[in-house]
Amino acid sequence: MKHLNTSFARFAWLAILLVMTHIVPAQISAGTKPIYSIEFKPGTTTTVMKGTVSTPKTVGPDMTNEGSEQYSLSVRAGQHLTIQIDSSNHQAMFTIIKPSPFGSKNEVVETARGVKRWSGTLAMNGDYRITVFTREEEAVSRFKLRVTLR
């Protein structure tokens, strides 16, 4: 009888582990949106990203929401960045988030929260995140994000 209980216990643990391996990835991936990498063609310093944003459902500290789009830009300290956004209804804007060593902080670049144009010299090496969003009710904005890095 003791052998039967040990076999049952092993089976129960195996079943729990199998269930957990299927539940956890689904929770982690649910609701996540891709972060698009901003890249430049060889010999160029400007690129244009196009997309669509919509009315926010929930807004996080970095202005991310279900209708926002996120981009990542790798830079070296001292590079000069200029970003400008144009949108179909003039409602799209962006926020620039500083690199974080472990992704734990969402520190916004000074004067780059909810803007339509920003220009400045970057102080840190790393991946800056640009979040494009709209705050307008019932708004869907097709946008062009013009990024220049020198």
Side-chain angles (χ1 to χ4, degrees):
M1 195 66 167
K2 185 177 180 182
H3 176 70
L4 182 62
N5 287 341
T6 305
S7 296
F8 179 76
R10 286 184 188 155
F11 175 78
W13 277 111
L14 180 60
I16 289 169
L17 288 173
L18 285 172
V19 168
M20 292 301 289
T21 59
H22 289 289
I23 291 174
V24 173
Q27 289 174 343
I28 291 171
S29 63
T32 59
K33 292 187 73 173
I35 298 175
Y36 302 102
S37 180
I38 296 176
E39 297 178 7
F40 299 89
K41 292 181 181 173
T44 66
T45 58
T46 299
T47 191
V48 175
M49 308 300 290
K50 296 178 183 179
T52 303
V53 289
S54 60
T55 305
K57 306 285 188 273
T58 57
V59 177
D62 59 351
M63 300 308 226
T64 58
N65 65 64
E66 295 171 16
S68 67
E69 293 292 342
Q70 293 190 65
Y71 299 91
S72 176
L73 178 63
S74 295
V75 304
R76 293 182 314 276
Q79 286 186 293
H80 189 81
L81 175 65
T82 301
I83 300 178
Q84 180 175 334
I85 192 165
D86 294 309
S87 60
S88 57
N89 62 359
H90 308 288
Q91 298 302 320
M93 56 192 80
F94 63 89
T95 294
I96 305 172
I97 311 293
K98 293 179 182 178
S100 179
F102 303 105
S104 59
K105 294 192 302 186
N106 285 319
E107 189 176 348
V108 176
V109 171
E110 191 173 328
T111 69
R113 179 186 298 272
V115 296
K116 294 182 184 242
R117 187 178 195 306
W118 186 87
S119 186
T121 301
L122 302 170
M124 302 171 65
N125 289 330
D127 293 333
Y128 284 76
R129 191 170 67 233
I130 296 103
T131 302
V132 178
F133 62 98
T134 181
R135 289 189 180 130
E136 281 299 311
E137 296 287 328
E138 305 299 320
V140 173
S141 293
R142 286 182 301 283
F143 67 86
K144 290 182 183 178
L145 187 72
R146 182 179 178 88
V147 180
T148 301
L149 184 65
R150 299 177 199 266

